Amino acid sequence: MMCDDVERDLDPYVDRELDADSIAAIRSHVGTCASCRRRVAERAGVSRLVRSMPYRVASDRLRTRVVRRVQQARLMRRVLAGAAAAALILSTVAGITFARSRAIQSDALVEDLVDSHVRSLLAEHLFDVRSTDQHTVKPWFLGKLDFSPRVVDLAPVGFPLVGGRLDYISGRPAAAVVYQRQQHTINVFVWPASDRDSGVRARTIRGFNMRHWDRNGMSFWAVSDLNAVELDTFIRAFQLSPG
Amino acid sequence: MTRSPGFEEIVLPHLDAAFNYARWLTRNDAEAEDVVQDACVRAMRFLPSLRDGDARPWLFAIVRNAWYNRIARRAGSADPSPIATARHEPADGALDPEARLLQKDAVGRVREALERLPHDFREVLVLREFEEMSYKEIASVVGVPIGTVMSRLARARDRLSVLLRSSPLPMERWR
């Protein structure tokens, strides 16, 4: 073992990246060579000095931002995948059979919902609480209803929340949560229902698209003049969104 | 709510390390946060490609790519790059009062010396000393052979020694 060999292996030696034989050889040389001993000590010193530097940790703000961005990206991906799958199904299944088998039965309730939707647009009584923040809209319903409606942030996928309103549908109190897609308004009516979850049922009434599903003990009715494809994208995002 | 498996379990535990690494790459808090955020979104997308591998070097390679993409985008724009010019700034002269104070203590001296290292050298040193990565792991993050990692580390420490020798305070503490 020569001084040149130590110089060549200085860093892997300090970093413990050498095999046992090489380590032993360097150790025994360093034991007898003062200049190599100094060189190794100096090298280890530089290493220690850098390690003594404070480690910078991610701020809570960054952690929150990352979690939020990842949830949004995840949601967006699932919505897009769902839209593609839905388009595939529609193109391969006879559309009319599909629609009829899952249609909403027409009754007074359905007419009431469409009336309420139209009234909300005409009378400019779209909101009792006007806010794009789910944490403002959701608490607003507290104390006004004996249930808490689902309110989600869908702005990242192009359906911003715009507000909420108290409504009466066929004599029962309902939460109406309002979303927007460009100039189109989507009213989502919510009230408690049976515990059985259902698939999404579809119907078109007086030119308005309507979707209905039950989930987690709540009955959901979405009414809009939005086209069917975009409304289905909205509903998928609504169902998949956390919160 | 179903979700793609494991981002929270696999990636989030390394967020501090990813930030520390990005901070040394960018030398700027806000920029480091943006890089980490970009990297996390990519990491989520590429999570299936990780399989049973070690998440930390994998994530670091993504952080590194996110940083290079940002530099490339900036180089393509008309704005002159503040990062590219920072390397050539004199150490003294234009420092603000806070930096002057920092300069008086050893941590400030070492930090400044590290920041003055060429990027290729600083990077391997940070991965080795802060993250205690093996040469093999560093090679996989940086995308160079192990021999290159070894020679870059040697040159990084040589340069750092020279930079620190011109500033007596930390060298005294360190002996």
Side-chain angles (χ1 to χ4, degrees), chain A residues 147-163:
Chain A
F147 60 93
S148 178
R150 178 174 170 78
V151 180
V152 293
D153 176 17
L154 298 177
V157 285
F159 300 96
L161 174 70
V162 284

Side-chain angles (χ1 to χ4, degrees), chain A residues 1-191:
Chain A
M1 171 65 66
M2 314 279 286
C3 296
D4 282 352
D5 298 326
V6 174
E7 186 61 35
R8 190 197 59 218
D9 285 343
L10 196 54
D11 292 277
Y13 176 69
V14 168
D15 291 327
R16 293 182 297 278
E17 290 266 345
L18 290 179
D19 59 273
D21 287 351
S22 309
I23 291 173
I26 290 183
R27 267 206 193 122
S28 89
H29 173 84
V30 162
T32 60
C33 175
S35 114
C36 281
R37 195 157 55 237
R38 199 162 49 240
R39 194 81 179 96
V40 167
E42 197 181 63
R43 206 54 151 192
V46 175
S47 173
R48 263 202 313 279
L49 198 57
V50 176
R51 281 163 193 246
S52 72
M53 296 288 292
Y55 197 92
R56 297 190 211 223
V57 299
S59 64
D60 289 346
R61 191 175 55 114
L62 174 61
R63 201 169 291 272
T64 309
R65 255 172 74 190
V66 162
V67 168
R68 201 178 147 78
R69 278 288 289 119
V70 164
Q71 282 173 350
Q72 286 173 359
R74 186 182 280 150
L75 176 62
M76 181 72 102
R77 228 169 34 151
R78 293 176 60 87
V79 167
L80 292 177
L88 189 68
I89 290 169
L90 284 174
S91 64
T92 51
V93 175
I96 192 153
T97 315
F98 181 74
R100 190 174 289 162
S101 67
R102 310 189 61 189
I104 296 169
Q105 298 304 307
S106 180
D107 59 19
L109 172 63
V110 166
E111 295 294 331
D112 263 12
L113 284 164
V114 174
D115 285 347
S116 176
H117 176 74
V118 172
R119 210 162 45 234
S120 77
L121 303 177
L122 289 180
E124 293 191 355
H125 181 57
L126 200 48
F127 321 103
D128 290 328
V129 52
R130 185 188 193 105
S131 172
T132 57
D133 181 1
Q134 66 192 112
H135 304 297
T136 301
V137 173
K138 193 174 169 73
W140 182 84
F141 286 106
L142 281 176
K144 300 180 180 69
L145 294 168
D146 59 356
F147 60 93
S148 178
R150 178 174 170 78
V151 180
V152 293
D153 176 17
L154 298 177
V157 285
F159 300 96
L161 174 70
V162 284
R165 148 184 114 249
L166 209 54
D167 219 323
Y168 287 88
I169 305 295
S170 294
R172 88 189 87 197
V177 183
V178 188
Y179 298 85
Q180 205 135 38
R181 173 71 158 187
Q182 285 135 16
Q183 70 275 33
H184 307 283
T185 297
I186 306 165
N187 268 298
V188 180
F189 299 91
V190 189
W191 59 80

Side-chain angles (χ1 to χ4, degrees), chain B residues 8-175:
Chain B
E8 281 78 358
E9 293 79 13
I10 293 170
V11 178
L12 277 191
H14 300 295
L15 196 67
D16 283 340
F19 177 74
N20 187 58
Y21 177 49
R23 181 60 182 73
W24 281 111
L25 287 179
T26 61
R27 291 171 290 176
N28 174 300
D29 282 339
E31 182 115 45
E33 292 199 346
D34 288 347
V35 166
V36 169
Q37 186 179 307
D38 286 358
C40 284
V41 172
R42 284 170 205 225
M44 185 205 67
R45 200 176 310 143
F46 299 145
L47 206 52
S49 73
L50 175 63
R51 295 199 188 90
D52 299 327
D54 185 358
R56 199 175 48 139
W58 170 82
L59 178 63
F60 273 49
I62 295 174
V63 168
R64 190 173 186 274
N65 274 329
W67 164 233
Y68 274 97
N69 283 350
R70 287 179 76 86
I71 297 180
R73 268 205 306 274
R74 195 175 310 143
S77 72
D79 294 334
S81 160
I83 302 300
T85 54
R87 189 177 295 176
H88 307 294
E89 274 172 13
D92 306 302
L95 288 179
D96 58 27
E98 193 191 7
R100 271 181 209 287
L101 268 178
L102 263 182
Q103 220 182 6
K104 288 187 178 157
D105 74 77
V107 167
R109 277 294 208 189
V110 179
R111 173 175 302 148
E112 190 196 298
L114 270 171
E115 292 191 344
R116 286 174 67 188
L117 285 181
H119 165 263
D120 288 350
F121 294 172
R122 183 172 65 246
E123 174 176 57
V124 289
L125 206 54
V126 165
L127 293 174
R128 174 64 211 155
E129 308 293 18
F130 286 102
E131 298 304 327
E132 299 189 359
M133 283 190 182
S134 68
Y135 287 9
K136 196 175 159 205
E137 286 174 317
I138 298 173
S140 82
V141 171
V142 179
V144 296
I146 289 178
T148 308
V149 171
M150 203 182 309
S151 66
R152 278 188 191 171
L153 262 177
R155 292 169 70 191
R157 285 173 176 147
D158 283 343
R159 286 250 198 149
L160 198 65
S161 300
V162 169
L163 285 169
L164 291 173
R165 214 165 274 141
S166 62
S167 55
L169 185 66
M171 295 297 273
E172 280 163 17
R173 286 198 184 172
W174 149 46
R175 280 194 175 141

